[in-house]
């Protein structure tokens, strides 16, 4: 009887030792704070998750070191002010610029690649817009008001055009600013807005109404847009980016990346992105 108890004790101690050893071998999770608006990235929809959700899930599943993620809801304009204040803060799906690279480490590969941004106006608008839309016409059209999101980058060329025509531009800075701008356009409080076709389509799908907006291509905005992950320019931020880069450097992850973009955008939009996606991982 004593021998049996002794054997059980040895087995339990051995199992405990093995479990402790395994826990010791597991890498410690990297803490990460994601700064984001309420919107596409944090949609929890098991049936139809957004491209960004899928891509982020894929990256997290493939990191050799787990990420302990918290989310802090802030407006887009505030997120870039908040980033330098936190050692391990990150912004998702951000356009890269020289100014932003002064305060952030950017991922090697973009979290997403989007077709070019468009100008949207109501089909019944009293305003007339040329196709493609040229910002230069605004010099003679002071009556036109364009809605944009404060703190969002629209690419260097469009940012410059917006800066040159500030009197024609209204900037929205609240939480869910993109959604609020669509609502303002529908209420005729702005004449047009700058956004992506998928974002506009998603809004009206959620509202379960037909899309009444007209999308126009924009002069100087014919290239796809790259949204990167940007983390604080600190040792912790650099470590997070290194983990993300290592995940996205895996061939299996890259193939799923391409497949997810094709599935999300559909064949028509995918044709605009195909060569860009192929080149993205060509030179590793």
């Amino acid at each position: 009887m004593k021998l049996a108890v002794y054997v059980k004790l040895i087995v339990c101690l051995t199992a405990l030792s093995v479990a402790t050893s395994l826990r010791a071998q597991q890498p410690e999770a990297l803490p990460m704070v994601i700064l984001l608006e309420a919107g596409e990235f944090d949609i929890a929809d098991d049936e139809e998750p957004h491209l960004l959700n899928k891509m982020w899930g894929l990256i997290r599943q493939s990191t050799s070191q787990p990420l302990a993620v918290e989310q802090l809801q802030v407006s887009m304009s505030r997120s870039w002010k908040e980033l330098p204040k936190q050692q391990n803060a990150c912004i998702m799906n951000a356009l890269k610029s020289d100014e932003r690279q002064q305060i952030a480490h950017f991922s090697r590969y973009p979290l997403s690649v989007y077709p070019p941004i468009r100008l949207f106006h109501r089909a019944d608008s009293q305003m007339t817009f040329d196709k493609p839309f040229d910002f230069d016409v605004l010099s003679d059209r002071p009556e036109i008001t364009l809605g944009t999101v404060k703190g969002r980058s629209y690419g260097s060329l469009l940012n410059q055009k917006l800066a040159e025509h500030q009197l024609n531009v209204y900037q929205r800075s609240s939480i869910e600013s993109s959604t609020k701008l669509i609502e303002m356009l529908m209420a005729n409080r702005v004449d047009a807005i700058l956004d992506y076709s998928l974002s506009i389509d998603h809004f009206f799908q959620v509202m379960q109404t037909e899309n009444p907006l007209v999308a126009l291509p924009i002069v100087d905005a014919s290239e796809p847009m790259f949204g990167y992950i940007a983390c604080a320019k600190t040792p912790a931020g650099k470590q997070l980016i290194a983990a993300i880069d290592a995940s996205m450097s895996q061939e299996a992850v890259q193939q799923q990346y391409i497949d997810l973009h094709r599935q999300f955008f559909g064949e028509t939009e995918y044709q605009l992105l195909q060569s860009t996606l192929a080149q993205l991982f060509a030179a590793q």
Side-chain angles (χ1 to χ4, degrees), residues 143-164:
E143 73 278 10
I144 293 179
T145 301
L146 303 182
T148 63
V149 175
K150 187 175 183 179
R152 170 186 277 182
S153 174
Y154 293 90
S156 57
L157 289 174
L158 289 191
N159 287 344
Q160 181 180 343
K161 292 290 187 182
L162 289 168
E164 292 172 356

Side-chain angles (χ1 to χ4, degrees), residues 262-275:
R262 185 170 195 165
Q263 172 189 341
F264 183 71
F265 288 108
E267 288 302 317
T268 301
E269 295 273 36
Y270 176 72
Q271 295 305 316
L272 300 174
L273 302 177
Q274 187 172 13
S275 61

Side-chain angles (χ1 to χ4, degrees), residues 96-170:
K96 191 185 295 185
S97 69
D98 291 340
E99 182 182 4
R100 288 178 171 182
Q101 289 185 86
Q102 298 299 312
I103 61 170
H105 293 294
F106 278 76
S107 56
R108 177 180 179 183
Y109 302 108
L111 176 67
S112 69
V113 181
Y114 265 65
I117 202 161
R118 306 294 190 198
L119 180 133
F120 289 88
H121 67 82
R122 291 172 56 117
D124 61 356
S125 174
Q126 301 299 312
M127 298 289 180
T128 57
F129 297 90
D130 294 333
K131 183 179 180 180
F133 176 75
D134 191 337
F135 273 85
D136 290 342
V137 305
L138 294 178
S139 299
D140 301 318
R141 302 287 301 277
E143 73 278 10
I144 293 179
T145 301
L146 303 182
T148 63
V149 175
K150 187 175 183 179
R152 170 186 277 182
S153 174
Y154 293 90
S156 57
L157 289 174
L158 289 191
N159 287 344
Q160 181 180 343
K161 292 290 187 182
L162 289 168
E164 292 172 356
H165 301 283
Q166 293 182 45
L167 296 179
N168 294 94
V169 177
Y170 168 80

Side-chain angles (χ1 to χ4, degrees), residues 15 37 51 54 66 120 138 157-158 167 171 195 207 221 225 228 232 234-235 265-266 272:
E37 278 194 332
L51 172 66
K54 289 186 176 182
F120 289 88
L138 294 178
L157 289 174
L158 289 191
L167 296 179
Q171 291 186 313
D195 212 326
M207 298 299 292
M225 306 288 275
Y228 294 85
T234 62
F265 288 108
L272 300 174

